[in-house]
Amino acid sequence: MTAVGFDTSNYTTSVAAYDGSGIISRARLLDVPEGTLGLRQSDALFMHVKRLPELAQSLAESLGKKIDAVGASSRPREVEGSYMPCFLAGLSQAKVLSQMMALPFYEFSHQQGHIAAVAYSTGNEELLKKPLLAWHLSGGTTELLLVQPVKNLFACRIIGGTSDISAGQLIDRTGKLLGLNFPAGKALDAMAADVRGFNVKLNGLSFSLSGVENKVMQLKTSGAPNEEIAGFTLSTIVSAVKRTTEAALKQYGDLPVMFTGGVASNSVLRRKISGGIFAEPRFSTDNAFGVAALTYTAYQNGDKHD
C-alpha cells in the first residue's frame, strides 16, 4: 500500500510517497527575489501551480507503482480560521488526482505534517499516541505545542512561544542585515561564532524577540564582526527555547520534546539542547513526507475520508 502527500507552504513545493517503510520525496524551495524577505501569497501560489507537475512527474517516475490514497496539507494549523492561500495549490491538485483515480483523500494541517515527519522519519511514530511537547520553529512560526492523541490522529494546542516575531523572522532579518540571501538559516548557521547570546525575559512560556532584533542592529552599527552577530542571534534563540522547554517540562511533566520546522535543522540548537527528538534536516524543513505518512496511516486504519 502506498500513499502520496502534497504540501505547498510559503517556502517550499513538495510531494512525497510513503509505503510503510520507504520514503520518496521531491521538494523545491520557492524563488525569492534577492534582497527581499519572502513572497506575497499570490506569488507563492503561482509558483506552486507551475512547479507541482514537474515534481509530481519526478515522483511518479521514481515510484513505479500504483498509489492507494492521496493526502494534502490544507491549512497552517488544525484550528478554526487557519488559512493561507498557498496551500490551495497542493490541496486542489491532490483532490483532482484522488477524484480522477477514485482514491480516498485525506486532509491535514501543515503543522500536523511537520510533527509526523519528525516522528515517522526517526522511527518514533508511537509517540503520537501519547502526549508530548513539540516546538514548531520556522520562518513564520515559533510555537511550543502540547500534542495529544485524538482518535487515530493528534491535536496541537499552543502553550508557549514568541509573542511577536518568530525565530525564523529574526534569523532572516539578521541575514539580510549581513548581506545573506533569503532564507538565511543555513548561511547564518555556517557563519556563526560560538558567542553568548542574550537571555530574553520569559513570561510564563512566552517570550519576545523584537528587542533582540534591535540589539542585533546595534551590534552591526558598532562594527561587530558578522560572525559574532550571527552567533549572538542564534545563541539568543536557543537560550530562549531551552529555558522555555525546561519551564514547560516542570509544568506538564517529563514528556518527550520534539523539534520541527526549518529552524530545527540549526546545528547550534541541536548541539545545545540535549534529549530532544530531531529529524534529519530535510524532514525538519517544509516537506510533504509527514502528510504522506499520515495519509498512509489513516488509510491503514480505515479512517473516514473524502
Side-chain angles (χ1 to χ4, degrees), residues 129-185:
K129 298 179 181 179
K130 303 174 183 178
L132 63 97
L133 298 177
W135 278 99
H136 184 181
L137 304 166
S138 69
T141 304
T142 294
E143 295 173 350
L144 177 58
L145 309 166
L146 177 62
V147 181
Q148 296 176 298
V150 177
K151 296 182 180 180
N152 289 328
L153 193 57
F154 56 88
C156 306
R157 178 166 66 90
I158 302 171
I159 60 171
T162 56
S163 57
D164 43 32
I165 64 172
S166 70
Q169 286 174 316
L170 177 59
I171 287 171
D172 288 327
R173 291 177 185 182
T174 301
K176 183 178 180 181
L177 188 68
L178 303 184
L180 304 176
N181 290 331
F182 178 91

Side-chain angles (χ1 to χ4, degrees), residues 59 85 93 102 104 126 165 171 182 209 240-241 244 265 299:
L59 181 70
Q93 296 204 29
E126 290 300 312
I165 64 172
I171 287 171
F182 178 91
L209 290 178
V241 169
T244 303
S265 64
Y299 182 82

Side-chain angles (χ1 to χ4, degrees), residues 25-108:
S25 179
R26 297 290 182 270
R28 183 177 172 186
L29 281 170
L30 299 180
D31 294 327
V32 177
E34 188 172 345
T36 63
L37 290 170
L39 291 166
R40 294 181 300 178
Q41 281 288 300
S42 57
D43 293 333
L45 179 61
F46 178 68
M47 287 187 191
H48 286 315
V49 170
K50 287 182 64 178
R51 287 180 174 174
L52 273 172
E54 174 189 343
L55 294 178
Q57 180 181 352
S58 176
L59 181 70
E61 290 172 350
S62 298
L63 190 57
K65 64 174 84 172
K66 74 180 187 71
I67 59 176
D68 302 279
V70 182
S73 56
S74 60
R75 59 204 184 283
R77 304 174 184 84
E78 70 280 9
V79 295
E80 188 73 26
S82 182
Y83 171 74
M84 287 181 73
C86 58
F87 289 107
L88 293 175
L91 177 65
S92 62
Q93 296 204 29
K95 280 191 171 182
V96 168
L97 176 62
S98 71
Q99 291 164 355
M100 293 296 292
M101 299 185 67
L103 298 174
F105 174 78
Y106 298 92
E107 192 174 312
F108 306 98

